[in-house]
Structures are given as structure tokens and as C-alpha cells.
Amino acid sequence: MPKSSQKKEGEPKHEVRALADPRRAGGCHQDADGRGIPLSCLVGAGRTTSEQAAEALEREKTLAYSPFLMKDMDKAVARISRALENGEKLAVFGDYDVDGITSTCLLTDYLRSRGADVTMHIPRRIEEGYGLNTAAIQSLKDKGVSLIISVDCGITAADEAMFAKEIGVDLIITDHHECREQTIPDAVAVIDPKQECCRYPNKDLAGVGVALKLVCAVEGRSDTVIKEYADLAAIGTVADVVPLTGENRYIVRTGLAMLENSKRPGIAALLHESGAEDRRISSSTIGFSLAPRLNAAGRLGCVSVAGRLLMTEDKTEAARLANELCELNRRRQALETDIWDDASKMMSGTAPETPIVLASEKWHQGVIGIAASKLAEQYSLPTVMICLDGDKGKGSCRSFGGFNLYNALSACSEYLEGFGGHALAAGLTIRRENIDRFRRA
């Protein structure tokens, strides 16, 4: 029989396990500032000797690795430095999830602080879809942009990179998603720690972590950068459910301390509007209060609301935008309930033993990922939910129990128009006629 789901409303996709709150102590090995790491977590991460534990704890007190260990970081810094010196018009091209939104705002804010003329572009989920697209690149070119920097997307955008090159726009890609090495885009620089030839030790940075590292490299130091942007980096890192160890743990711990008394009017307003401002700020605050509301904007095609909220310096505007995000989140919850009820009816009376693949024309594309997460938990099986539109469909995939979705989709790619993502969460496009074959595969 299916397991009953214990997940709370708004809980992100696989959520925050024992190491989720980097400030939790008690029954823990204490690090230098009094905050603890459960010994079981150190052992589970392969640190079984005192020397290995000490090394791990030391790395979690700083940004341990030079950003220049990342492949192409030197090329990216050289090109951005030239653009800053020459007063070029730049664009930061992001993604519509929380990791992408925080990445976009972080890099845009930094470049503007250096005097750059920067356009933010986060694609509209329904109209543009995920990642770089030629129409947006052309539009940015028409606006005078000579350099586009992608964040949290782009690693599979080989065709789009070729198009940018043809029309005379330089492209720097920063991403953290899995790479298909044969399709690495031809760009000025491609920064992704998951590239096989990248020497960077931390392969688990979120997209915002990679963006933070880029800023550290351009700035030439990390201490001032982390003090300015750890809050945004923490939100994106927790929301994207990457392992909270090493540098990620340091980013989140530092960011949580900043969120306790946020200098950003938008974050302060969202904490107030969500009822979290008078409670201790933890990773759960991000996972259950901030991230779902920021995500709702992207899911329902209003991602600019979230971007403006994080960038505004006006308290009145911040309060209005925070209220709007909360309204969007309530709408998202209603849509999610309808999809969940519909999917549950499809599954009624069955106890499947293989990954679940469901499709419907009635579902909202921006919300199916949350329903897929719940279904994966309910049945303890990887789940794919596909929103159909004509002869094609777009799907959201969620894993369960360590099943590597990216590898599975690679093995079934003959039935797909395209796919991308992580081992635990991914997206795909498929023709309606191939859904049954894909399900069997």
C-alpha cells in the first residue's frame, strides 16, 4: 500500500535532512564558533577518522577553495573585467526557480555596484521555457547588450551559444547542472564544477554558489563578498536542496545570521508577510516560508515580482511585492491541490512497482513539479508528471531513494525531445506519441 506523505504544505522538493540547519547543536561535534555537526553526519559523509573530521570542520568555516580552480574562471574574469573597463552593456540571464532568481539578483547587484549597466533577464516559464533561448538573446542584442552571463542555466545550450556567437554577442555560462560533455557550449567561458575536466573539489554548489564564486573571483577576495551576499546565496542553496556540507554549509550558516536582521527590505517584508519575522531564522524558515513564496512567482509566470522584491531598496514597494508573492503562493496552493486530487484519482487502486509516469492536458505546467514530489513520497517511487499541450508535453521529474533521474533520462533519451537537471530533480520535453514507450523504458 502507498505510504502516507508527512510533508508540510509548501515543503520544497526533497527537503532538508539532518544537516539542514547548520546552526543546530546538541549531541554534536562542536566547531569553533560553538555550532555543531552531528557525528553521524560526519561518519555518513565518509569522515571516519579524527583527521578527516577536523579537515571537514575546517572547510565549513570558510569558502575553502579558490574560485580559480574552476575551469574557465580566468577567462570569465578577464572578459567581465574588460566589459567593466569599457562600459559595455551586460545582461544576467537566469532561471525562474529560487536558485536562479537569487543567482540573478546577486550577480546583477554586484555588477551594478561596480558601475555596470546591467539588464536582468529571467525567462517567463510558460512562454519561454527553461534556460537560454534565441529570441531572448536576439532581444538583448537589440538592446545593445554585448555580453550575456548565464546563472543556474546554460550548460546544455549548445545551439543557443552558437546563435549568440553568430550575432556577435559574447556569452559566459555559469551553471551547476549535470553536463553532457559532447554538447558543452562554445562560449567565452563555461563554468560548471560538474564538468569532467573541472578541478574544483566541491561539485555540490547550487547555481547561486557558482555565481557567488564568480563574484569572488572578479572582486579578487571572498570575505567582503560573503558578508554582502551570503543571505541571497543561502536562500538559493537551501531551496535547491544541495548537500549542506563544506562550503555550502558555511554559506548557509553565514546567510542565516544575516537574515536574522536583514538589510534587504524585500526579505524583511517577506519574513513579516509570511509570519516568520519573530521566530528564530533557520534553514526551515527558508524552506517553508521564503522559498515557496519566491517559487510561486516563477511557477505562475510572474517571476519579475520575486526579482523586484529582492532588489528593491524601497520599504513601501517591498511590502506591496511581499503581499503579492503571498497571494501568488495561495493561488499556487489551490492549483497544486487540484492537480494532486486529479493525480491521486489516476493512481487509485494501484500499487506500482516501477517509476510513475502520468500525463494530462488539465494540469498547470508551473505546479506539476510540486505534485510530482508529493507523489514520489506517497508511493516511494520516482515520478514524472507531464503537462500536455497539443502533440507535445513538458514534464517535471522527481526522484526517490537515491534513484539517479539524470542517468535514467539519458538511458531513455531516444523517446525524449530534450531533458536536463540533476540526479534528484529534472525536466523533460516529449511528444505525446512517445509517452507510453517512455513509460515502459
Side-chain angles (χ1 to χ4, degrees), residues 339-359:
I339 293 172
W340 172 248
D341 290 343
D342 196 32
S344 297
K345 290 176 184 176
M346 290 182 180
M347 298 298 298
S348 180
T350 64
E353 297 181 355
T354 58
I356 298 166
V357 179
L358 302 178

Side-chain angles (χ1 to χ4, degrees), residues 23 39 80 109 183 201 210 288 339 430:
R23 305 185 305 175
L39 290 172
I80 292 170
D109 186 79
T183 61
V210 179
F288 298 117
I339 293 172
I430 188 170

Side-chain angles (χ1 to χ4, degrees), residues 229-389:
Y229 296 113
D231 53 348
L232 292 178
I235 292 170
T237 297
V238 171
D240 222 52
V241 201
V242 295
L244 296 186
T245 56
E247 290 184 316
N248 291 346
R249 182 181 175 84
Y250 172 70
I251 289 168
V252 173
R253 186 179 65 199
T254 307
L256 292 176
M258 290 177 66
L259 289 170
E260 292 278 5
N261 187 23
S262 180
K263 66 177 184 178
R264 301 185 197 279
I267 292 177
L270 194 57
L271 287 169
H272 172 77
E273 192 69 27
S274 63
E277 66 177 340
D278 295 326
R279 301 199 297 268
R280 180 175 177 272
I281 303 297
S282 70
S283 56
S284 293
T285 309
I286 296 173
F288 298 117
S289 297
L290 299 180
R293 288 163 174 81
L294 292 168
N295 240 334
R299 291 186 181 281
L300 300 183
C302 304
V303 69
S304 63
V305 177
R308 295 202 311 273
L309 177 84
L310 295 180
M311 296 292 285
T312 187
E313 297 181 1
D314 182 270
K315 291 183 179 180
T316 301
E317 182 184 30
R320 178 181 61 78
L321 292 169
N323 179 265
E324 190 173 344
L325 276 187
C326 289
E327 288 294 332
L328 286 169
N329 192 49
R330 284 187 279 272
R331 183 181 161 207
R332 186 271 302 169
Q333 290 170 334
L335 288 168
E336 179 191 332
T337 298
D338 290 342
I339 293 172
W340 172 248
D341 290 343
D342 196 32
S344 297
K345 290 176 184 176
M346 290 182 180
M347 298 298 298
S348 180
T350 64
E353 297 181 355
T354 58
I356 298 166
V357 179
L358 302 178
S360 174
E361 295 175 334
K362 297 187 293 182
W363 298 338
H364 190 289
Q365 181 187 325
V367 184
I368 54 175
I370 303 173
S373 293
K374 288 190 172 184
L375 212 60
E377 292 287 338
Q378 176 90 3
Y379 288 91
S380 302
L381 287 169
T383 299
V384 179
M385 296 186 69
I386 301 169
C387 180
L388 292 170
D389 183 10

Side-chain angles (χ1 to χ4, degrees), residues 8-155:
K8 299 177 184 177
E9 174 59 34
E11 188 171 2
K13 46 199 177 197
H14 276 286
E15 288 339 76
V16 189
R17 296 177 284 277
L19 208 56
D21 188 350
R23 305 185 305 175
R24 182 183 298 160
C28 301
H29 187 111
Q30 297 296 314
D31 58 15
D33 60 1
R35 295 172 175 126
I37 300 175
L39 290 172
S40 60
C41 293
L42 289 170
V43 173
R47 278 76 171 185
T48 56
T49 69
S50 59
E51 292 81 6
Q52 290 171 335
E55 181 187 8
L57 293 170
E58 192 63 31
R59 283 205 302 268
E60 293 176 352
K61 293 188 290 183
T62 184
L63 288 177
Y65 307 115
S66 167
F68 288 97
L69 290 174
M70 288 191 191
K71 182 180 181 296
D72 284 0
M73 183 64 80
D74 54 342
K75 297 177 183 177
V77 170
R79 181 64 185 90
I80 292 170
S81 297
R82 190 168 85 244
L84 292 173
E85 291 171 6
N86 296 336
E88 295 179 50
K89 189 175 179 69
L90 313 179
V92 178
F93 195 113
D95 183 26
Y96 40 67
D97 68 359
V98 179
D99 190 16
I101 295 166
T102 52
S103 301
T104 305
C105 292
L106 187 158
L107 184 55
T108 299
D109 186 79
Y110 171 73
L111 292 172
R112 287 178 178 170
S113 76
R114 294 288 303 271
D117 181 2
V118 187
T119 295
M120 279 174 44
H121 185 87
I122 303 175
R124 297 181 302 278
R125 187 181 196 121
I126 306 301
E127 294 88 348
E128 294 183 71
Y130 168 79
L132 291 161
N133 64 83
T134 56
I137 293 171
Q138 183 64 63
S139 176
L140 292 170
K141 162 75 171 178
D142 294 343
K143 294 175 182 176
V145 168
S146 56
L147 173 62
I148 296 173
I149 308 169
S150 80
V151 288
D152 193 33
C153 65
I155 194 61

